[in-house]
Amino acid sequence: MFGLAALDLARVQFAFTMSFHILFPAITIGMASYLVVLELCWLRSKRQVYVDLYHYWLKIFAVTFGMGVVSGIVMAYQIGTNWSYLSEFAGSIMGPILSYEVLTAFFLEAGFLGVMLFGWTRVGPGLHFAATCAVAVGTLISSTWILAANSWMQTPRGYAIEGGRMVPSDWLAIVFNPSFPYRLLHMVIAAYLTTALIVGASGAWQLLKRRDNPAVRKMLSMAMWMVLIVAPIQAVVGDFHGLNTLEHQPAKLAAMEGHWENEGDKAIPLLLFGIPDMEQERTKFAVGIPYLGSIILTHSWSGQIPGLKEFPREDRPNSLIVFWSFRLMVGLGLLMIALGAWSLWLRRGGRLWTKRPFLRFALWMGPAGLVAILAGWTTTEVGRQPWVVYGVLRTADAVSPHGAGSLALTLALFVVAYLFVFGTGTVYLLRMMRKGPQRFELHRPPQGGPGEQRTPMRPLSAADVGNDDDAAPDGAAPSNDQHGG
Amino acid sequence: MGIDTTVIWAVIIFFAVFMYVLLDGFDLGIGLLFPFTPKKNDRDTMMNTVAPVWDGNETWLVLGGEGLLAAFPVAYSIILSGLYLPLIFMLVGLVFRGVAFEFRFKAKEHERHLWDKAFIGGSVVASFFQGVALGAFLDGITVSGRSYAGGPLDWIAPFPLLAGLGVMIAYTLLGATWLVMKTEGELHARMVQVARPLALLLLAAIVVISIWTPWRDPAVAARWFSFPNILFLAPVPVLVLVFIVLLLRALAGQGDNLPHRVPFVAALALIFLGYSGMAISIWPHIVPPAISIWEAASPPSSQGFALVGTLFILPIILMYTAWSYWVFRGKVKADAGYH
């Protein structure tokens, strides 16, 4: 198809399905923890605003989680269908890690999700809270294992090669490989930030539409505290992650910086703009800040980093892609820090909920976390090419022996199916968010222990009835308690 | 030593896939029954019986896949590339079906039919291609060295296509008997009606496959019909008949004395017998007809590492899964109205 070889098609297919998939867990990791906080606040204070927010975000969580599950099942099989040589060569190491992810995380999430979504009237409040916690903990355990597997592929340790395949020799070294802690922290924080930005944008939108009520104020306020605290932490973690990359994947770092060669011990500038040219081996139109590259990357005035020319041509990742995806991620990160700072400034005098330029900024930053995650993911994954297991197995050698025809067919199938399914899903999510938090009436049946025949329940979808009641009265105040965030 | 971790792993994967077939079997069956229950109210009820558990049911499929990668990477690599197209079709089917659970209730009134169709289509495609994959797997996968050496369309053959139909019949029966257990009134009565012919169809499918497999493959024939195996294995077909009779009688006697769960339990038993029969036929191969479990095994350090956790965690998973089913036990009301 279009002259693409089977390898290219397999890569495009994997990148496509992976990019879709990563967005959903990114939201559910953060949102599950947010739901824990909301339910805990409700249990402790019994303030209506928390239970309203809990049920509002629970529905959005359910839809996102559902999309994450179905796209995740695809991922579980893509390693074998598209990269069969990788599974044979490195399966002895990746397999056990992924099995632990299923056993300790997926089952936990799935097992308690039903109770979390539909069990509000079937189990007591304590047990329900435990279910919410189990789901949240499950999402975090899942991140831990999957990032252990990904980090191991980036910085492999603890293995030997016997009989033409990788054999584990030290499981501690495999799981706690050099880049694992940085990647895990960076990803989990990214998930928290992403959720905070979405929650904040949702609140900002309601306020811009003049639907001011305590629940909306509360969620905007909580989200902005989160952004304020976590965005700067993310910058620091990112810096440490960069130093780790310099140590273990120097070619990736050189590509991120568009840095080709060192000129004596002259300090390295930090390039703000440039067009890395892989053919001519230079970065065109480079605009940089002198010394800053050395300072940030080596924490010294004239520190040197390896340039791309120090690596054989066939071992260089594509600098053009990595250079720009990295800048996109960092740029969005800086905007997030600015958002947090602005929100803090506006809290003086309670202007957080009324300052319209700020609300518009918060609204536009809603998807920033998702975009930054995709950009960061591109940076790290394209940056490790041409290796699938860094320094050990090339991507080109890992691919399954399928013809281009099969791969083109399945790629087309995935593109059509995903755009339709997840496109519609996004529309539904936005519709649900547009409605804003509603007052949640607690219909706990008068008596009977858990599981006893209860009053009829509404259909077991975590979301309420469809969207037919779009005409919900503007400005309807769902929460009638006195607290405003 | 005396403990062969490779055999233990074969049993674990057998168990995971079996759990998947049972559990996702009945909820896929609900999608297959949708065309026979056009009323929106009935469809809502049917969805409600599985909404809290379907996600956990599907997780067994993921465990089967990742367990295979951990313990038998060679088999994972060959089977997944050999069954490439049927598996991708199955996955795309599962995507459509999975989102329908949530989207159906979020769609506007005039869009709902779209997600009903996605649910039906996704269930049909996923079930059929699971069967095709199973059939192609039993049919034998062409291997050279450690890689798949067949063509992309090898699965288009009579036996895999028949197996696809067989799996659809089995899932529909599981779904129907599940609904006999979980619903009441008109929907219940209709499911009783639907389940009877399905039971007979399943019996026919079992008979055809039981004759076809040994007839085409002398090794399978030798395993089943040689002495003394025949004595140990004879109970399998006998039990199949016993459970078919029990199932039909329980369906005929609905409303009398037998509890509503009997047909479902009998259907589970039938699936278990059929599934065990296949395992007996291919043992000890994990990629029939060429590669045995020992040839496909990962190194002891991998199997051991994963086994420690699996043996410890699986019982806990089974406990909380059972608890979650218990929380949602009982009939799901037809008037589970929503406003």
Side-chain angles (χ1 to χ4, degrees):
Chain A
M1 191 172 75
F2 311 122
L4 286 175
L7 172 65
D8 300 318
L9 288 167
R11 286 184 64 188
V12 170
Q13 186 176 110
F14 197 83
F16 180 79
T17 47
M18 186 68 223
S19 305
F20 264 93
H21 174 65
I22 196 175
L23 299 177
F24 304 117
I27 299 173
T28 48
I29 291 165
M31 205 160 278
S33 297
Y34 180 48
L35 289 169
V36 167
V37 172
L38 288 173
E39 191 167 8
L40 184 67
C41 289
W42 181 71
L43 286 173
R44 293 176 71 106
S45 72
K46 293 290 172 194
R47 280 162 56 186
Q48 181 73 28
V49 63
Y50 291 116
V51 76
D52 290 347
L53 284 175
Y54 181 86
H55 284 89
Y56 172 58
W57 288 107
L58 180 67
K59 291 168 201 161
I60 291 159
F61 174 79
V63 176
T64 318
F65 193 92
M67 294 197 279
V69 167
V70 296
S71 58
I73 291 176
V74 173
M75 295 321 298
Y77 280 81
Q78 287 255 296
I79 296 172
T81 53
N82 286 23
W83 309 102
S84 65
Y85 187 72
L86 168 69
S87 9
E88 190 203 316
F89 180 73
S92 304
I93 293 175
M94 293 167 64
I97 297 177
L98 297 175
S99 298
Y100 271 108
E101 184 184 16
V102 183
L103 290 165
T104 57
F106 293 168
F107 274 112
L108 192 67
E109 295 170 60
F112 288 95
L113 182 75
V115 176
M116 181 185 177
L117 297 182
F118 309 121
W120 193 257
T121 57
R122 290 211 163 219
V123 298
L127 210 47
H128 190 272
F129 179 61
T132 308
C133 291
V135 173
V137 169
T139 62
L140 293 172
I141 297 176
S142 174
S143 335
T144 307
W145 288 114
I146 198 68
L147 282 152
N150 180 263
S151 303
W152 177 83
M153 292 165 80
Q154 304 261 4
T155 52
R157 287 292 185 283
Y159 66 92
I161 295 182
E162 287 169 20
R165 65 178 180 179
M166 300 182 96
V167 172
S169 57
D170 180 352
W171 279 104
L172 276 179
I174 289 169
V175 173
F176 297 98
N177 60 79
S179 65
F180 165 66
Y182 303 97
R183 243 176 257 282
L184 175 64
L185 261 183
H186 203 45
M187 184 68 210
V188 170
I189 293 176
Y192 278 34
L193 261 176
T194 299
T195 301
L197 289 165
I198 291 173
V199 171
S202 165
W205 193 84
Q206 298 289 336
L207 288 167
L208 284 168
K209 289 281 158 187
R210 316 231 179 253
R211 292 183 200 162
D212 193 351
N213 65 55
V216 166
R217 285 182 168 225
K218 176 61 101 186
M219 72 187 187
L220 178 67
S221 170
M222 288 175 90
M224 288 306 122
W225 281 123
M226 190 73 183
V227 173
L228 174 71
I229 296 163
V230 174
I233 295 177
Q234 181 72 317
V236 174
V237 171
D239 181 51
F240 280 110
H241 188 19
L243 295 180
N244 181 268
T245 305
L246 174 61
E247 188 181 343
H248 296 284
Q249 296 180 302
K252 180 193 284 187
L253 196 94
M256 281 157 67
E257 298 302 329
H259 181 61
W260 291 92
E261 61 186 323
N262 292 320
E263 297 158 18
D265 48 5
K266 211 174 130 196
I268 300 163
L270 184 79
L271 299 189
L272 297 178
F273 182 89
I275 300 178
D277 188 323
M278 297 300 288
E279 290 300 317
Q280 296 181 19
E281 300 191 312
R282 65 188 186 93
T283 298
K284 293 187 278 193
F285 312 112
V287 178
I289 302 175
Y291 292 102
L292 200 57
S294 286
I295 294 169
I296 291 180
L297 294 165
T298 67
H299 292 196
S300 81
W301 277 104
S302 60
Q304 301 290 303
I305 64 166
L308 272 175
K309 282 188 183 173
E310 291 174 37
F311 303 92
R313 260 178 188 271
E314 68 274 15
D315 288 354
R316 294 176 195 164
N318 185 313
S319 181
L320 181 63
I321 298 176
V322 175
F323 183 89
W324 280 108
S325 63
F326 178 65
R327 268 148 195 76
L328 178 59
M329 176 186 77
V330 172
L332 288 171
L334 293 175
L335 288 177
M336 293 173 205
I337 293 174
L339 179 70
W342 195 359
S343 78
L344 183 66
W345 174 255
L346 292 180
R347 279 179 200 273
R348 299 188 333 159
R351 290 168 298 159
L352 182 65
W353 300 283
T354 52
K355 188 86 174 169
R356 295 182 75 81
F358 167 77
L359 293 176
R360 271 193 290 275
F361 182 41
L363 175 63
W364 282 106
M365 286 297 283
L370 295 170
V371 177
I373 283 176
L374 284 182
W377 194 251
T378 304
T379 305
T380 201
E381 295 306 307
V382 176
R384 78 160 136 168
Q385 299 302 326
W387 305 101
V388 59
V389 180
Y390 201 73
V392 183
L393 180 67
R394 282 174 190 274
T395 312
D397 297 328
V399 71
S400 300
H402 301 307
S406 295
L407 283 159
L409 171 71
T410 54
L411 175 60
L413 202 61
F414 276 121
V415 170
V416 172
Y418 274 37
L419 290 183
F420 175 69
V421 165
F422 299 125
T424 321
T426 308
V427 171
Y428 290 163
L429 282 175
L430 292 175
R431 273 190 205 164
M432 289 159 74
M433 284 196 227
R434 192 171 60 187
K435 280 169 83 172
Q438 310 290 311
R439 186 176 168 83
F440 179 80
E441 299 291 349
L442 184 57
H443 296 295
R444 210 174 269 286
Q447 49 185 316
E452 236 167 72
Q453 196 62 62
R454 294 299 179 82
T455 45
M457 304 203 296
R458 54 180 193 79
L460 291 177
S461 158
D464 259 324
V465 210
N467 291 282
D468 291 323
D469 45 347
D470 275 343
D474 274 21
S479 309
N480 60 356
D481 65 353
Q482 302 303 312
H483 311 276
Chain B
M1 292 286 281
I3 300 172
D4 187 343
T5 51
T6 302
V7 174
I8 300 176
W9 267 109
V11 172
I12 291 171
I13 287 162
F14 172 83
F15 177 73
V17 176
F18 174 63
M19 287 298 283
Y20 174 74
V21 170
L22 283 192
L23 298 177
D24 215 29
F26 74 74
D27 63 46
L28 279 163
I30 288 178
L32 299 171
L33 286 162
F34 251 43
F36 305 104
T37 44
K39 273 201 264 172
K40 180 180 159 296
N41 231 13
D42 288 345
R43 290 184 168 187
D44 287 351
T45 311
M46 289 162 77
M47 284 287 221
N48 292 347
T49 64
V50 290
V53 293
W54 74 272
D55 182 15
N57 296 349
E58 249 177 41
T59 306
W60 291 98
L61 181 65
V62 184
L63 179 62
E66 304 300 12
L68 194 65
L69 177 61
F72 305 103
V74 174
Y76 178 86
S77 139
I78 295 172
I79 294 171
L80 266 64
S81 43
L83 304 177
Y84 181 64
L85 290 178
L87 288 178
I88 298 283
F89 295 152
M90 172 195 91
L91 292 171
V92 173
L94 288 178
V95 167
F96 276 96
R97 187 190 79 106
V99 295
F101 279 101
E102 285 298 330
F103 289 3
R104 215 180 148 264
F105 293 107
K106 254 128 252 160
K108 295 188 189 224
E109 196 69 41
H110 67 272
E111 302 165 345
R112 184 172 297 110
H113 73 102
L114 242 145
W115 295 110
D116 279 357
K117 282 171 189 144
F119 191 59
I120 295 169
S123 302
V124 168
V125 168
S127 318
F128 179 70
F129 282 103
Q130 272 174 23
V132 169
L134 175 70
F137 169 78
L138 293 171
D139 224 8
I141 292 181
T142 317
V143 173
S144 120
R146 281 186 190 169
S147 347
Y148 177 65
L153 300 177
D154 281 9
W155 50 274
I156 304 186
F159 186 75
L161 298 178
L162 178 83
L165 289 182
V167 164
M168 283 173 72
I169 294 168
Y171 285 176
T172 317
L173 177 69
L174 276 174
T177 51
W178 164 264
L179 290 172
V180 167
M181 178 171 75
K182 294 294 281 185
T183 63
E184 47 197 11
E186 205 184 316
L187 181 61
H188 170 87
R190 182 191 286 264
M191 286 303 128
V192 171
Q193 273 176 3
V194 171
R196 256 180 257 153
L198 281 170
L200 295 174
L201 268 177
L202 182 66
L203 178 64
I206 292 176
V207 168
V208 171
I209 289 173
S210 310
I211 294 172
W212 194 332
T213 326
W215 175 66
R216 313 175 52 251
D217 187 348
V220 175
R223 165 143 314 145
W224 283 86
F225 301 125
S226 67
F227 193 80
N229 286 7
I230 196 164
L231 289 185
F232 297 115
L233 299 178
V236 177
V238 173
L239 283 174
V240 167
L241 283 179
V242 168
F243 280 109
I244 287 274
V245 171
L246 179 66
L247 175 58
L248 289 172
R249 286 189 48 182
L251 288 171
Q254 285 296 324
D256 305 347
N257 41 8
L258 284 171
H260 289 182
R261 62 176 175 273
V262 173
F264 183 60
V265 173
L268 291 183
L270 282 172
I271 305 296
F272 173 71
L273 290 168
Y275 183 74
S276 310
M278 280 173 219
I280 292 169
S281 296
I282 63 168
W283 173 265
H285 297 295
I286 196 155
V287 185
I291 296 184
S292 76
I293 54 171
W294 296 281
E295 288 164 321
S298 60
S301 47
S302 297
Q303 290 194 339
F305 174 68
L307 192 62
V308 175
T310 307
L311 292 183
F312 176 68
I313 301 164
L314 259 189
I316 300 174
I317 291 172
L318 289 171
M319 280 192 293
Y320 65 65
T321 304
W323 173 75
S324 148
Y325 271 83
W326 183 78
V327 166
F328 296 100
R329 75 187 181 280
K331 297 273 185 190
V332 175
K333 293 257 183 183
D335 64 342
Y338 73 92
H339 6 278

